[in-house]
Amino acid sequence: MVIAILFFIFCCSLFVAAEPAVYVLPTSNVFGGEIENSNDMVEIKSSEWEGKNLSLADILATRAGIQTRQKGGMGSFQSISIRGMQGNQIAIAIDGVLLQSFGEANLGGIDLNKYEKIEVYKGHIPAKFAANGMGGIINLVSKDAAAKGGKFYASYGSYNSRFISMQAGTPLTDSVLWTSNISYRASDNDFTYLNRNGTSYITEDDFWTKRKNAEYSQISGIHSFTFVGKRNSTFRIEHGSEAGGIPGREEQETRIANSVNDAVTASFEIMPKDENFDFGLQGFAGTEKSISKWHRTLDLLNYGERNQLTEIGLLMQNGGGQGSLYLASSIIKTQFHAYVNYQYLESRNRSAIYPNYELSNTVFQGSFAGTFAPADFFNITANAASRFSRQKHESGKFTDVSSLVDSTFREKKRNLNSGRISLNFENVFFAVGHYFRDPSVFELFSTSFGILSNPDLKAEQGEQAEIGVSYKSKNANASATLFANRIRDRIVYRTSGPFSKPFNHNEEGKVYGVEGELSAELFKWLKINTNATLQNPGNLPNEPKEQYYSSLLFILPYSFELSLEGEAHSLIYRDRAQKKEIPGNAFYHAMFSYKPTDKTKISFYARNLTGGKYEHIYDAIPTPGRIFSVSYSHVF
C-alpha cells in the first residue's frame, strides 16, 4: 500500500504541473438502453456523500422506499430493502458488471470513495443488466478518464476511523486515456455500548463496555484505460482486500475470530456508437476468496491451542460476457442482449465438521427491451427476459454435521421468465411486470457457520405495479409513486438449535404504499430535499409503515456551507410473527464545510447528534452511536 501511495503522489505532482485539458468522449444515445422515464432511475452523485464517510446502504436509505439495517461499525454487514424487497432480491452492479457475491451482498464492504455516482432502479431491472433479482438494481459508476487531473481525499474520525482516497488520470496518447483510484479505510470500531450480559429483560446486571475484536481495514482500487476511436472501448480492473475481527453478539464477544476477503475483477467493454444499427460487447472475469476463522474455547474462555482454529470459506472463479444489438428508427428503439456467466466454486474448509466440495453454476440469459415513441410526450416501453441456470455438484461432499442436507444431490436446472410494460407520458407513468429471483449459490450450498445448505430451493417469483406522477421546474422537482409488490415462494430462514436453514415460505408476501420526493432551490442560499414513504408491509420484517427524510443545505457567506439532515421511521418488527417489536425513532446529522478555494474543501461531520442508534433487546449486535469526523479534499 505504501508503494501504491507513493506512486500516486508522484503521478499527482506531474498532473499538477501539467496544463489542464479535458477530453470529451463521443457519446451514444443508445447504449443507455430503452428510453428511460425520470421515475425509472434515481441518480445519486458523489457530492452527496463526500465528507460524510457514509456506507452505500446509508446513502441509499436517504431515498424514498429504501430501508437499511446495520450489524456493527465500519465494514460490518449492511443490507437494504426497496419497497419491501429484501437485500438478496436486489442486484448490485459496478460499471454495468454484475457483482458476483457468495450470497446477499454486504453493502458495508463497498468503499464509495471510488465512485462518481450511484444509479438506483427501483422495482425493476433494465434489460441491459441481465441481472437476477426482483427488487431492482444498484449500479455503481466509477470515475472515468475523460478529464485530466485528479483528486485527493482524507478523513479522520471517531474510533480511530481513517480514510484516504486518491484519483489520478491523464491521456497517455491522443487516443488512450488512463485513470486510477486507490482507496484505504480502517477503524478500530471500539465504540461504547450497553452490554445486557445475556439477560435482555433484566437491567440490574447491564454494564457499559467497549466493543472488542471489531477492527476493520480495506484497501481497494479501480484502474481503467479508455481507447477513443471509431468505436470506443474500456479495459477496467477492480480489486479489493479487506480484513477484520468477528466480534459476535454482546455477551458472546469473541477474542480472536476474524475474516478476510480478497477479490479482483477485470472487464473489457466495446461501446456502440450508431444509434440506428450497432452492437456492444462486454466480457469479464474475476475471482474472490473469503475465509473465516474462529476457535470456540479461545474466543469465549481464552484457552486452547491456536493451531486448532476452525476455518471455513469459499473460493469463487467466474467469467462471462454479454453481447448487445441495438436497432432504432425515429420512433422505435430496440435492444437485444445475450448474457452468459460461469462460476466455479471450491470450498476452503479446514474443520472436522465442515466438508470440502466443488460446484459449478452456469447461467444463460436473453433479454429484450423496446420503446415505441410516437410523440414527444408519450412512449411505451416493454422488457422481457428468459433465464436458464444449472447448478452441478462436481466433486466432494457438502453434507454437514446436522445430516440434514441431501448428499446425493448432483444437478439442478431452472428456466425462468420475466416481463414488464410501462406507459410513459410527460409527467405520468404506469408500469406492471412479473419478476423472478434464482436462489443464490450461498442459499443452495452454504459455507457459513450454522447455516445449512438447501439445494432444493425453488425460485422466488412475483408481480409489481407502479403509478407515478412528477413535476419539474427550473428550481424544483417533485414526484409521487403508488406501488404494489407481491412475492411468492419467499426464501426465509428457519432456526432449530444452533442451525438455520433456508426454506420457501408458503404464504405470499405483499407490500403496497406510496412514496413522495421533493427537491428545490428555494433561494440561492437554501436548497431542500425531502421524501416520505407510507406503506403496508404486511408481515415482512424490518419494514416500517412510515419513513421520513429531510435535508437543508445553507450556502453561507465567505464560502461556508451548513447541511442539516433528519430521518425517522415508525415501529418495525424483527420477525414475521411481529413479536420482536422495535419502537420508532428519529436521527439527526449535521455537516459544516469551508471552501478556501474552488478546488479545496474542509468539512466537519457529526452523525446521530442525539446519541445514536436505539439499543433494544431484539438488537443484540451493537452499532455505533454518535460519530464525528473531519475531512479534507482537493481537486487538481
Side-chain angles (χ1 to χ4, degrees):
M1 186 187 73
V2 174
I3 295 175
I5 292 175
L6 292 175
F7 172 75
F8 263 80
I9 293 175
F10 172 73
C11 292
C12 294
S13 64
L14 295 180
F15 300 150
V16 172
E19 189 174 353
V22 175
Y23 286 71
V24 180
L25 302 181
T27 59
S28 166
N29 295 323
V30 179
F31 187 65
E34 61 266 32
I35 297 173
E36 287 170 353
N37 166 287
S38 61
N39 293 286
D40 282 350
M41 183 187 74
V42 176
E43 185 176 274
I44 307 175
K45 296 183 178 179
S46 59
S47 57
E48 297 191 41
W49 66 74
E50 185 176 280
K52 300 178 181 179
N53 302 324
L54 298 178
S55 70
L56 175 57
D58 289 333
I59 193 66
L60 291 173
T62 64
R63 293 306 190 267
I66 302 180
Q67 319 296 332
T68 181
R69 188 179 181 194
Q70 180 178 358
K71 296 183 178 180
M74 181 196 296
S76 63
F77 185 83
Q78 282 190 273
S79 63
I80 62 167
S81 65
I82 298 179
R83 297 174 179 171
M85 297 292 186
Q86 304 302 302
N88 55 7
Q89 298 164 333
I90 301 165
I92 307 294
I94 297 174
D95 293 315
V97 177
L98 297 177
L99 186 64
Q100 305 294 335
S101 62
F102 296 130
E104 183 178 346
N106 175 19
L107 303 189
I110 296 176
D111 190 345
L112 283 180
N113 288 318
K114 298 180 298 188
Y115 304 103
E116 188 65 34
K117 63 179 180 179
I118 305 168
E119 297 173 346
V120 182
Y121 296 86
K122 298 181 183 179
H124 79 289
I125 298 175
K128 62 184 178 181
F129 292 106
N132 175 39
M134 302 172 64
I137 185 169
I138 310 298
N139 184 41
L140 300 164
V141 181
S142 63
K143 302 174 182 180
D144 59 36
K148 183 177 180 179
K151 189 172 186 178
F152 172 81
Y153 174 80
S155 178
Y156 184 81
S158 302
Y159 320 122
N160 194 29
S161 299
R162 55 267 190 208
F163 300 78
I164 298 177
S165 177
M166 290 172 286
Q167 178 198 3
T170 187
L172 302 179
T173 69
D174 290 340
S175 59
V176 180
L177 309 175
W178 162 79
T179 187
S180 284
N181 185 296
I182 287 183
S183 292
Y184 169 78
R185 59 178 184 151
S187 176
D188 293 345
N189 283 330
D190 56 346
F191 49 87
T192 301
Y193 73 99
L194 181 64
N195 190 322
R196 289 162 293 192
N197 205 25
T199 55
S200 300
Y201 297 94
I202 301 174
T203 60
E204 287 79 3
D205 60 350
D206 294 355
F207 62 96
W208 288 92
T209 185
K210 283 190 174 183
R211 195 69 160 146
K212 302 179 182 67
N213 192 34
E215 66 282 350
Y216 173 82
S217 65
Q218 180 189 54
I219 183 168
S220 57
I222 300 178
H223 316 280
S224 62
F225 295 87
T226 301
F227 305 92
V228 180
K230 293 183 179 180
R231 191 177 296 277
N232 300 331
S233 59
T234 299
F235 175 71
R236 183 179 291 111
I237 295 178
E238 177 156 5
H239 61 88
S241 180
E242 56 183 335
I246 304 176
R249 301 165 66 93
E250 289 192 4
E251 79 285 354
Q252 297 176 334
E253 267 195 336
T254 62
R255 298 173 185 267
I256 64 170
N258 64 85
S259 66
V260 294
N261 183 278
D262 300 290
V264 60
T265 300
S267 63
F268 183 73
E269 180 180 11
I270 299 176
M271 306 173 191
K273 189 175 182 181
D274 184 353
E275 68 173 355
N276 296 316
F277 178 76
D278 210 343
F279 70 91
L281 293 173
Q282 185 183 75
F284 59 88
T287 182
E288 181 176 358
K289 182 180 179 182
S290 181
I291 300 291
S292 297
K293 302 178 182 179
W294 73 92
H295 188 307
R296 180 171 179 81
T297 52
L298 275 174
D299 277 324
L300 301 181
L301 304 176
N302 199 30
Y303 75 87
E305 298 293 332
R306 290 183 176 270
N307 59 6
Q308 295 176 352
L309 284 173
T310 295
E311 179 178 310
I312 65 171
L314 196 64
L315 172 67
M316 178 180 68
Q317 299 170 325
N318 79 95
Q322 178 172 288
S324 305
L325 175 65
Y326 301 88
L327 302 171
S329 66
S330 58
I331 63 172
I332 297 177
K333 288 186 176 183
T334 58
Q335 57 180 276
F336 302 87
H337 304 277
Y339 172 84
V340 60
N341 181 41
Y342 178 78
Q343 294 176 301
Y344 199 85
L345 303 102
E346 303 175 17
S347 60
R348 287 290 187 268
N349 299 335
R350 188 166 64 85
S351 166
I353 64 173
Y354 282 88
N356 285 289
Y357 55 80
E358 295 181 14
L359 304 164
S360 63
N361 183 40
T362 305
V363 174
F364 297 95
Q365 181 163 320
S367 56
F368 159 82
T371 299
F372 174 62
D376 293 339
F377 60 87
F378 171 71
N379 68 72
I380 302 174
T381 299
N383 295 274
S386 181
R387 182 185 183 92
F388 168 81
S389 64
R390 184 189 71 170
Q391 294 81 37
K392 185 177 180 181
H393 179 205
E394 301 289 350
S395 65
K397 296 182 179 180
F398 53 84
T399 303
D400 60 30
V401 66
S402 68
S403 300
L404 298 178
V405 179
D406 180 10
S407 61
T408 63
F409 171 83
R410 287 294 176 266
E411 187 174 321
K412 176 77 73 174
K413 297 179 181 178
R414 292 182 181 82
N415 288 287
L416 300 166
N417 300 286
S418 67
R420 180 181 188 259
I421 187 168
S422 64
L423 308 179
N424 306 295
F425 297 88
E426 188 171 2
N427 296 312
V428 181
F429 82 99
F430 167 77
V432 61
H434 166 78
Y435 295 97
F436 61 79
R437 185 182 75 88
D438 217 356
S440 69
V441 176
F442 173 84
E443 291 163 325
L444 296 168
F445 312 103
S446 170
T447 60
S448 289
F449 176 69
I451 305 295
L452 306 182
S453 303
N454 187 354
D456 297 322
L457 287 173
K458 295 187 292 184
E460 296 179 314
Q461 301 196 56
E463 287 71 43
Q464 170 265 350
E466 296 175 88
I467 300 177
V469 296
S470 62
Y471 168 79
K472 287 187 177 181
S473 68
K474 182 179 179 180
N475 297 321
N477 293 327
S479 65
T481 304
L482 289 168
F483 62 87
N485 294 323
R486 182 175 67 172
I487 314 167
R488 299 188 304 279
D489 295 322
R490 289 180 296 161
I491 295 176
V492 299
Y493 284 82
R494 296 176 183 171
T495 300
S496 177
F499 298 105
S500 295
K501 184 178 180 178
F503 287 90
N504 291 105
H505 200 284
N506 294 328
E507 295 182 6
E508 290 185 346
K510 297 179 181 179
V511 57
Y512 55 88
V514 59
E515 60 185 40
E517 297 187 82
L518 170 66
S519 60
E521 184 178 349
L522 299 182
F523 307 98
K524 290 184 178 180
W525 50 269
L526 176 60
K527 297 179 181 179
I528 67 168
N529 182 19
T530 184
N531 64 67
T533 303
L534 307 177
Q535 63 181 9
N536 184 349
N539 63 347
L540 293 178
N542 304 311
E543 292 293 322
K545 290 186 176 181
E546 300 175 27
Q547 170 203 336
Y548 306 95
Y549 171 83
S550 294
S551 69
L552 301 173
L553 176 62
F554 297 90
I555 312 299
L556 305 176
Y558 305 107
S559 301
F560 287 99
E561 290 181 354
L562 175 64
S563 173
L564 302 175
E565 298 173 275
E567 53 183 306
H569 65 77
S570 62
L571 179 148
I572 63 175
Y573 296 95
R574 286 286 185 249
D575 63 332
R576 289 177 170 82
Q578 297 189 346
K579 294 182 178 180
K580 299 180 179 180
E581 184 178 288
I582 307 293
N585 209 346
F587 310 98
Y588 304 95
H589 325 296
M591 186 168 77
F592 187 69
S593 303
Y594 171 60
K595 300 176 86 172
T597 70
D598 291 338
K599 297 183 177 181
T600 303
K601 186 175 182 179
I602 302 171
S603 302
F604 177 78
Y605 182 62
R607 186 166 180 82
N608 298 331
L609 288 171
T610 55
K613 303 274 185 175
Y614 186 85
E615 295 291 344
H616 193 268
I617 59 173
Y618 299 125
D619 283 331
I621 299 178
T623 54
R626 190 181 294 113
I627 298 175
F628 300 102
S629 64
V630 60
S631 62
Y632 169 87
S633 64
H634 180 75
V635 177
F636 49 85

